Amino acid sequence: MLASPLVMNHNVGRCRWAATAVVIMLLAATVPYGARAEAPANGTAALVPISVPADAGVPAAAPPPAIPETEIQARLRPSGLAIAGEHLHMALLRRFYAAHNNEPVWNTRQAQSSALLQAVLRAGEHGLDPDLFHAAALKDPALPPIDRDLLLSDAFLGYADALARGAVPVELRMDDEDLKPEPIDVAMALDSVIASPDPAAAIEALAPNTPEYQALRRALQYYQSPAAAAPQAAPAPRGVPGQRQAARAAAAPSAAINQTRARQVAINLERLRWLPHSMPADRVWVNTASAQLVLYRANKPAFTTRVVVGETDKQTPEVQATISSVLFNPPWNVPRSIAAKEIYPKLNQDPDYLAKHHMIVRHNGLIQQLPGEKSALGQIKFEMPNRFDVYLHDTPLKNLFSSDSRRRSHGCVRVQNPRELGALLLQRPIETINQRIGLGHTNSLPLPEAVPVFFVYHTAFVDQNGALEFRPDVYQRDEAIWQHMRRMPQAPVAQRDVAGQRRS
């Protein structure tokens, strides 16, 4: 059956409209977001001409090929690396080689490499074992070039780090060995050493240059010398600190004494590397090993007094703090540990114990001893905030200062002559100190300028007269340090010291 002309015309019109719509849709698909059609005056819609990008429809360019990984980069990618049985400092090596495009460093720097290797072989002059820095392994001529490059870099980085911050890593020290030198970027420091006209001198300059450090180095050289080990050794040469004591030690029939002294000096060289290399000219110095305090002004001793330090099971920490003010007639807030272990057991036996000792219980349960002559803190406390809550203070137990063994405190440091020290720190006459105490109530005065204070534990040291002194290791801290300063077989993990635990 044929369709009528009307139906046919209608269908043709519909097809034309559909075709037109398809064309419009296809064109619209090429119009970017934000383009619009404009209507001319006659009302007929017209498309706005647009420009088509020249690269439309062209596939994106392929990314450039990845730079191939160097052999050194590949060797340093794992978390651990050992060469010839020597474990390496991965983090330091990655930083160092990243600055050198992860390419070998020493094959084009033979002169610098030789000079630095000779410096490492002289590490014993600082009390350090050269084998800590791969000295024995580097003597192997059969090492592959890349292995030698990595081992040399690790040796120089490790030696620089030991001189600048100490051979015992901070994370392996005891929690109360809390002394640290200024921060240093060792990888960047080694680059400066390489660029120096004298690399050996430049790496040696990373060690402390204080008079104390240089004096201990001279003493170490003497005790390590063949002359000191001889049965009839001559007196120590002029200029070596403590020559009388050195001569007496050298004249002893057994050379073991000199070995012991050399080891003690080496350990305390390490302790000096834990301190700021630029010591403040004005400072309070407390050596708990000798139980003595020295106030330095312009790097010269201005005042010395005896102190009482922590017992062997309540050791005074090694810490740096700042004295900011002096507190007169201080109350003593008894630490909860002391209250639990010492006061409450006595209170159970004697209900009047608190009253007899001028103590009260505060609303928070804290026991406080009221100010007064009988207070455990005496009449003066030197405020020096620190995380151990230890400080310098007076004491009513003056008889303790007459003893050579002055380890009787819970960790704080009791001062024999606190009024004199307070007057010097406050830069005021001692009458001012007496007047402040005479007020009877708690009061304080700020220091004109805060003064740094160092609590150290040095069993070998140079005194104010330039004499070398030794003290027994009553806190038993030396051995653990010595173990880190020599190349020794690794102990099983279960037998190693755990950082943060204090030996007693």
Side-chain angles (χ1 to χ4, degrees), residues 78-102:
S79 58
L81 175 64
I83 294 176
E86 305 282 311
H87 293 281
L88 308 186
H89 303 83
M90 300 300 288
L92 281 177
L93 285 171
R94 289 189 189 106
R95 290 210 307 273
F96 176 69
Y97 278 104
H100 295 270
N101 299 317
N102 289 301

Side-chain angles (χ1 to χ4, degrees), residues 330-336 338-348 350-363 365-372 374-378 396 410 414:
W332 180 39
N333 296 317
V334 182
R336 296 186 186 276
I338 296 178
K341 293 178 182 178
E342 301 182 24
I343 294 180
Y344 283 122
K346 295 175 182 177
L347 185 59
N348 291 334
D350 181 5
D352 295 328
Y353 179 85
L354 294 182
K356 291 177 181 178
H357 292 83
H358 308 283
M359 293 180 176
I360 60 174
V361 179
R362 292 294 187 185
H363 64 277
L366 186 71
I367 294 179
Q368 185 183 77
Q369 188 176 43
L370 299 175
K374 302 293 178 125
S375 169
L377 302 186
H410 288 85
R414 307 173 189 176

